[in-house]
Amino acid sequence: MNELGITTATGFDGQQGDWTLTYQVIFPPAMASGAGGSSGGGGSQAAVHTFSAHGKTIRGALAESNRENPRKLYFAHTNVLIIGKQAAENGIEEILDTYYRNPDARETVKVLVANGEARDFLNKLIPRRSFPAERYPISCKKISS
């Protein structure tokens, strides 16, 4: 467990030649303390850490994410895959192909298209929830389940 970065949400933004991937990764110390971002008092930690990686290709951005996060990303617990509007307008085939080629990825992930950038939605922490990815972003449109 200490070597895995368990993702709860993944976002894709960009277009051919310019990609940004954003991840929400569970932050174990917050989970162990029971904080989970749900207590109203000061000093509580968020249950997830969000970070982005940039690359010329989707696979390049994925490789760069290994430099941004010291843990191996584990996608079996990803609840939602958010695709930014610009990326969706250019086609989602490459995005879905790259995501589902990962042996950890589950086909039950909810795929949403954001009305804007996916990373903007993933950077928002939703209060009183352990995992922000459990709640659909309001300005997203569900395209599969």
Side-chain angles (χ1 to χ4, degrees):
M1 288 298 290
N2 291 335
E3 296 176 8
L4 292 179
I6 300 171
T7 64
T8 59
T10 303
F12 289 82
D13 289 307
Q15 58 188 344
Q16 199 66 28
D18 183 30
W19 290 97
T20 300
L21 303 184
T22 304
Y23 305 96
Q24 280 185 352
V25 179
I26 294 173
F27 188 60
M31 298 304 298
S33 69
S38 62
S39 64
S44 66
Q45 293 180 315
V48 295
H49 167 69
T50 304
F51 72 96
S52 296
H54 186 78
K56 290 182 179 180
T57 64
I58 293 175
R59 292 183 195 270
L62 181 59
E64 187 64 30
S65 67
N66 293 328
R67 293 187 190 122
E68 297 288 327
N69 182 38
R71 297 173 183 227
K72 179 189 181 303
L73 294 177
Y74 181 69
F75 296 95
H77 297 286
T78 300
N79 295 319
V80 64
L81 175 70
I82 301 177
I83 302 171
K85 183 177 181 178
Q86 181 184 17
E89 287 173 349
N90 292 314
I92 63 171
E93 297 85 10
E94 182 181 3
I95 294 169
L96 295 178
D97 181 60
T98 301
Y99 183 78
Y100 287 124
R101 283 186 186 269
N102 185 324
D104 299 333
R106 304 263 170 101
E107 291 184 16
T108 57
V109 68
K110 293 164 189 74
V111 178
L112 307 172
V113 174
N115 188 13
E117 301 257 331
R119 72 174 160 235
D120 293 340
F121 290 97
L122 293 178
N123 282 323
K124 293 179 185 177
L125 292 178
I126 300 168
R128 295 181 192 76
R129 286 280 192 180
S130 294
F131 304 111
E134 289 177 348
R135 181 172 172 214
Y136 299 148
I138 295 168
S139 297
C140 289
K141 182 165 115 181
K142 188 174 180 181
I143 61 171
S144 78
S145 59

